Amino acid sequence: MTEVNTMTIAALRKTLASLDMKKKSLESEGEAIISELTSRTDGGGEPMGMNTPLVDRDGYPRSDIDIFRARTLRRRLAEIKTDRSTMLIDIEKKLQKLAMLNGAFKKYNLFRLAVSFKYYSCFLFLYACEFWSPSYQFKIENKIKSPVLQKNIEDEQAARLRPKPKPKYDSKTRKWVAMNWDGSVAGIQGGEHISFHNIGDSEMKLEDIAQQLAQQSINNRTENESELQATQSEEESQIPFAKLNSVAPNSPAGDAGLKEGDEIVKFGSINVANHRNLQAVAEMVPEVASNSRTIELIVLRGDANNNSKIRKHCMLRPRPWAGRGLLGCHIVPSVN
């Protein structure tokens, strides 16, 4: 139950961090829209306004502003307010759930601590009573003076200092083992119950050992070759799965050096085989932004004459900015 609670708490915290980053992105975009709606025009005229009429006194559309731009910004601002309200409700519910789990977890730990402390206190009390009792002092004195006990201690010290035999090869576990001071086996599970002298010599197994080492070397070489082939295949892959339809200036995507028309081959750990119709990208971006990390992108970009494509590496850091979203670009599925 404790492990489940711990995993649930960690998942909730991760989700809350992602939601908080999305909320900050919406708020940043909303502030930028409000600033544009309430600022005077370049010619010093009246601003577009948050909810003021977009027509003049005669009922004609205002000629000093971009009517389409004003309507688009107002509509987007309304969407942001609705999305933010919904997100705040979701955050509040998850915070309440997290508080309940944290409270239950703390109560459980306090209960365990109280029980442990209760028994520990009893143990200390009984130990103190026993230690200071005359009978206990008498037992200690007799043990110290006992010649049998003294001889056992001397024998153990001599056994620990005695030179140990060379390690042996255990054919059952296929491991090299050594002898403990008491004659048991060190190096295998349950060796404390096995006598080192009962393990056969390694001379009869040298052929098997050589064969095993040769096979292990072959397996390691095969694994290394497979990993190398997989790495080379990934690096040489030229199959894009998405395309940048647009890139906003002064955005995270623009700062990363991405350009409109770039074809995405790799987006962090996401490629043509696992992007799940770009759903994996949508899940990765807020998580990376909440941890202030960067994403490595590999894109294909056409040259000046658009005759060939150049492979480019870019480092993208998702974050809230003055525009929409955390990237500032529009990603669409690639049409192969």
Side-chain angles (χ1 to χ4, degrees):
M1 182 67 69
T2 304
E3 292 183 3
V4 174
N5 285 344
T6 305
M7 292 174 63
T8 306
I9 290 173
L12 272 175
R13 286 176 176 170
K14 185 177 179 181
T15 304
L16 283 169
S18 177
L19 288 173
D20 182 62
M21 185 55 61
K22 290 181 180 179
K23 181 178 73 70
K24 289 180 179 178
S25 175
L26 288 176
E27 291 172 349
S28 177
E29 183 183 356
E31 290 174 0
I33 292 175
I34 292 173
S35 175
E36 183 174 351
L37 288 174
T38 56
S39 299
R40 289 185 174 273
T41 59
D42 295 337
E46 294 296 323
M48 290 183 280
M50 301 279 292
N51 49 18
T52 54
L54 299 179
V55 295
D56 56 20
R57 295 179 180 179
D58 299 328
Y60 293 100
R62 289 176 56 181
S63 58
D64 58 333
I65 61 173
D66 186 343
I67 301 295
F68 178 77
R69 176 70 176 170
R71 287 176 176 172
T72 302
L73 290 176
R74 289 181 179 184
R75 183 174 63 254
R76 178 56 188 161
L77 184 60
E79 292 173 354
I80 290 175
K81 290 180 179 179
T82 303
D83 293 345
R84 183 178 179 277
S85 300
T86 305
M87 195 173 296
L88 287 176
I89 295 173
D90 191 20
I91 291 174
E92 184 179 0
K93 289 180 180 178
K94 285 181 170 56
L95 284 174
Q96 291 175 355
K97 186 176 180 180
L98 180 63
M100 290 175 61
L101 287 173
N102 275 329
F105 190 63
K106 289 178 181 178
K107 288 179 181 178
Y108 174 75
N109 284 338
L110 287 174
F111 173 75
R112 287 183 59 191
L113 181 63
V115 172
S116 302
F117 183 75
K118 175 182 177 182
Y119 286 108
Y120 181 66
S121 302
C122 295
F123 169 75
L124 287 178
F125 177 74
L126 294 174
Y127 176 78
C129 293
E130 175 68 16
F131 178 77
W132 293 108
S133 64
S135 60
Y136 183 81
Q137 295 293 333
F138 178 75
K139 291 177 185 177
I140 293 297
E141 290 175 2
N142 283 346
K143 283 184 178 179
I144 294 174
K145 295 176 182 179
S146 172
V148 177
L149 179 61
Q150 188 67 26
K151 186 176 184 306
N152 290 340
I153 294 174
E154 292 175 357
D155 291 344
E156 181 179 336
Q157 291 176 347
R160 290 181 181 274
L161 295 174
R162 189 180 301 121
K164 296 179 177 59
K166 294 181 179 180
K168 291 183 178 181
Y169 181 77
D170 182 19
S171 58
K172 293 182 179 179
T173 60
R174 295 183 178 273
K175 291 182 179 180
W176 287 91
V177 296
M179 188 183 81
N180 289 320
W181 67 271
D182 59 352
S184 60
V185 177
I188 59 174
Q189 187 175 4
E192 64 274 10
H193 305 298
I194 303 173
S195 174
F196 180 79
H197 302 288
N198 292 337
I199 294 180
D201 293 332
S202 60
E203 296 175 359
M204 303 298 295
K205 297 294 181 181
L206 288 177
E207 232 177 81
D208 294 341
I209 296 171
Q211 186 177 359
Q212 181 187 5
L213 292 175
Q215 185 63 37
Q216 185 177 359
S217 176
I218 293 172
N219 293 339
N220 291 339
R221 187 164 60 251
T222 303
E223 290 178 3
N224 292 337
E225 289 176 356
S226 299
E227 291 178 1
L228 182 61
Q229 289 176 0
T231 303
Q232 290 176 346
S233 175
E234 182 180 356
E235 289 294 329
E236 294 172 359
S237 174
Q238 298 287 330
I239 305 176
F241 67 91
K243 184 177 181 180
L244 294 181
N245 200 23
S246 63
V247 177
N250 300 322
S251 66
D255 294 342
L258 295 171
K259 295 183 179 180
E260 181 180 344
D262 285 350
E263 298 181 44
I264 302 175
V265 174
K266 183 180 178 184
F267 192 94
S269 59
I270 302 170
N271 54 35
V272 69
N274 60 3
H275 66 89
R276 304 194 330 264
N277 198 24
L278 301 186
Q279 183 63 32
V281 175
E283 294 172 358
M284 176 186 286
V285 169
E287 179 183 350
V288 173
S290 64
N291 295 319
S292 299
R293 292 188 283 112
T294 57
I295 304 173
E296 181 184 5
L297 271 73
I298 299 178
V299 300
L300 299 179
R301 181 177 300 168
D303 59 8
N305 300 322
N306 208 20
N307 294 327
S308 61
K309 293 182 179 179
I310 305 172
R311 194 180 182 91
K312 293 283 187 180
H313 290 255
C314 301
M315 299 302 295
L316 173 63
R317 187 170 75 86
R319 65 184 186 278
W321 63 294
R324 188 172 184 175
L326 297 170
L327 300 179
C329 63
H330 187 214
I331 303 177
V332 296
S334 180
V335 180
N336 296 323

